[in-house]
Amino acid sequence: MENLDYARLQMAFTLGFHIIFACIGMVMPFFMVVSHKKWLNTRKPVYLKLTKAWQKGVAIFFVTGAVSGTALSFELGMLWPEFMKHAGPVIGMPFSLEGAAFFVEAIALGFYLYGWNKLPETFHWITGIIIGISGVASGILVVSANAWMNSPTGFDVIDGNFVNIDPVAAFLNDAWFTQALHMTLAAFAATGFAVAGIHAFQILRNKKPELHKEAFKIAIFFGAVAALLQPLSGDLSAKDIAERQPVKLAAMEAHYETKKGAPLYIGGIVDEENKEVTHKIEIPKALSFLAFGDFDAEVKGLNDFPEKDLPPVAIVHYAFQTMVGIGTLMMIAALIFFISLKKKSWLNNRKYWWLFAILSPLGFVAVEAGWVVTEVGRQPWIVYNIMRTSEAVTPMPGMKYSFFLYVAVYIILAVTVTWLMKRQIKVLNNSIG
Amino acid sequence: MMLYVVLFFTFFSLFLYVLLGGADFGAGIVELFSSRNDRQLNRDTIYKVMGPVWEANHIWLIILIVILWIAFPVYFNIIIIYLHIPLTLVLLGITIRGVAFIFRHYDAVVGASQVWYNRMFRFSSLITPIFLGMCFGTLVSGKIVITEDYSETSFAEIFMFPWLNVFTILTGLFYASLCAFLASTLLIGETTGEIRKLYSKKSAIFTIVLVIMGGLLLAYGLWNKVVFVQDFLSNAYSLSAVSLSALILIPLWKAIKEQHSLLTRFYAGFQVLLVIFAAVNTHFPNLIITSTGDINMMDETAPDSVIRVLGISLIIGGGIILPGLFHLMKSFNMISIPKNFTGEDD
Ligand code: HDD
Ligand code: HEM
Ligand code: HEM
């Protein structure tokens, strides 16, 4: 493999790592403040215990998110210096606002973590809300930078230089809204299901069921609402892509031949050599409908794009199928949850809790898969139709070593954080009361 | 006009990162060079004192980087390519240090693993500012080799030697001692009784270390004809600034002896300001000195439209953040800490 490949792998690995912590850092504070509010309203100790347990989780995830994010803000430049040299000023606005949002978040976190019994109760609780809001704001802002890479606007290219820069137009690019909406929902869905699943598992083990049921209720509520909206938002994204990035759409669907009334494939094995898909289930005309809202619309196939502009098809296709498959599962689980609010007897069925326990990690699998669709689907461009990834990479040789260093450090980190979370739960289960 | 706003925030972030982030690193260094018993005291003190602002202190670095890449893209490009390796080491240090700090205070079980968290925290507190100082040193060392032609020069000549030499190591050690000095001085004001005496003593020691390191750095630079050091010593303003900072050592020393919390802090902060001013003033705006010439950070700044938006964002952001930060510090730090305050979970 070449230097470029290692740089890409390193970027993918570190972003894939960061996104998990970022999602949790965006969403956990909301669970925490809901539980906190319930404590303030009812004064039931179980809520206080839960709030404090979640607060430790927030602190640990925040810091891991922050250090991996700090590394990323350097990495963008270290791995892709030519990209940052040209694009940096254009996408600077969301990043500088993001910096402000982080600051607000860090300040609010300082107040919240250290404010117990020191600050007025309501003010203390509000600082918790500010953590959540600024976290979501920073998520939305970074996604705007990424959306610009998919849908570059707000500048002209003259002799390889980016001129006439309009940072506000670049910030509010075409892809921004759909991507930010989808990402925010994804964070809530993935974190909600992950946290709910962990507590469902504790309920199955019959450890402190009252406490874990409260926790489950709070987390799944956020997760389920998001999971119901997610397919709708995904459909918006897909329609958007059909307009803006037709190659990506074709790769997502492994759609080789340009066709009117194009079919949608479910599953299937992509044969990139022979440009065909085998072992698939075909739904006639569905792709045309999903992409353009018209059963007979023409969908351009991969064969009609120049070879040198094609992304890796198989990866993008499989990733997209994974995301949509999981999205469908989560939507069904969300419906089951809402029905169980009426049918209380379901809560005594172990299968109910097993369902959520098993779904626990899947939201994050979908998040990773979705990002693979977005990022790999954009290849070979780093800035769509403007700059190729190969033109952006650092001239420094030896990226291989850098990649393995990051992998080693982050794997150790991930293992340690998982271990710490297990300890938190154990301590929570063994606590008195 | 807006360019000056941006420049102001650039150096303001640099200053606050060197000062606050530095004090933060320094707290770990002080702990590293303490006796067993003092270490435990230090651990608890910095959790109480630094904890609430801990994360905020480090965001100045992110702000600095973001401003550099937006407003000074060409300049940033050189830093980020040629300092790739030391910056990676800095990041590694920041990562280890950040997680060790949070692990040691938020692990639900306080057990044998604490030993490792503590070791990781102290060690990374020392090496991170050393590497950071080496990065600063590299920029002005005159050793960066800028080339497009990789057949003539080896990997080591471009990516290793410029940052790994006696001069940069001395700047690294100088910055690390500055951090330790800052931490012990700031902590005087945050503590009482026995612990306070301890920090007074440490502060005195690290002041001496700092002065020695500074002297060594200048002497080495002069001896080896490092352009930056020569210019530094022949620049009237820079010289007056360092002389003033040396003079301030006297009242600082007195304030330390008297355990005066506000004054020690003020003098220490002012001193950092003077040192940064002296360093930046020497060569501004040619803040990178390569083997083949200077690079002017004001050349090829981002276009006006970008600078304008950035400047406005910074003013608004600053307007929200600074009062918040101030309030945070006031709530937890500057006001004396009640004896029974244990952070949380009481
Ligand atoms: C819980 C996670 C999750 C779930 C259940 C879904 N997605 Fe998703 N999807 C993401 C998480 C995600 C993501 C990781 O957050 C992405 C990556 C970039 C982005 O903005 O969101 C994404 C991207 C993404 C894109 C590419 C956007 C682009 O490149 O600009 C499309 C077309 C869809 N999604 C469509 C769907 C559809 C039709 C779903 C139907 C169920 C779906 N997603 C479920
Ligand atoms: C879609 C992708 C991303 C999302 C949704 C996201 C979101 C977030 C969130 C919510 C946080 C706060 C951490 C927490 O509360 O736990 C965070 C931290 C951070 N992120 Fe990301 N991020 C993404 C990608 C990036 C990228 C590409 C960069 C680099 C340029 C970056 C830089 C940072 C930095 C510097 C921090 C640390 C801020 C601090 O110290 O608090 N992020 N990110
Ligand atoms: C956090 C969620 C994200 C994940 C999991 C992710 C994943 C990936 C992956 C898999 C690649 C490699 C693609 C390839 O080379 O085949 C990549 C590349 C890249 N991503 Fe992302 N990405 C995320 C968000 C972002 C954001 C928010 C930004 C920018 C602000 C960004 C900027 C880049 C850049 C600059 C590259 C390298 C150039 C390229 O390969 O096109 N990414 N990312």
Side-chain angles (χ1 to χ4, degrees), chain A residues 204-254:
Chain A
L204 281 170
R205 292 174 62 208
N206 212 7
K207 299 269 173 142
K208 286 226 174 13
E210 327 73 54
L211 181 131
H212 288 296
K213 276 185 182 155
E214 290 302 334
F216 175 82
K217 256 201 298 203
I218 297 173
I220 197 65
F221 186 78
F222 282 98
V225 172
L228 283 184
L229 297 175
Q230 190 70 337
L232 300 177
S233 140
D235 182 49
L236 275 184
S237 293
K239 291 200 162 54
D240 211 37
I241 289 190
E243 292 279 323
R244 271 191 352 254
Q245 289 177 292
V247 203
K248 193 191 263 181
L249 182 81
M252 273 155 50
E253 306 291 355

Side-chain angles (χ1 to χ4, degrees), chain A residues 32-38 40 112 120-130:
Chain A
M32 182 181 82
V33 291
V34 170
S35 169
H36 190 169
K37 185 77 194 161
K38 290 194 170 188
L40 294 179
Y112 191 83
E121 273 184 343
T122 317
F123 177 72
H124 183 217
W125 180 72
I126 289 174
T127 58
I129 296 199
I130 297 176

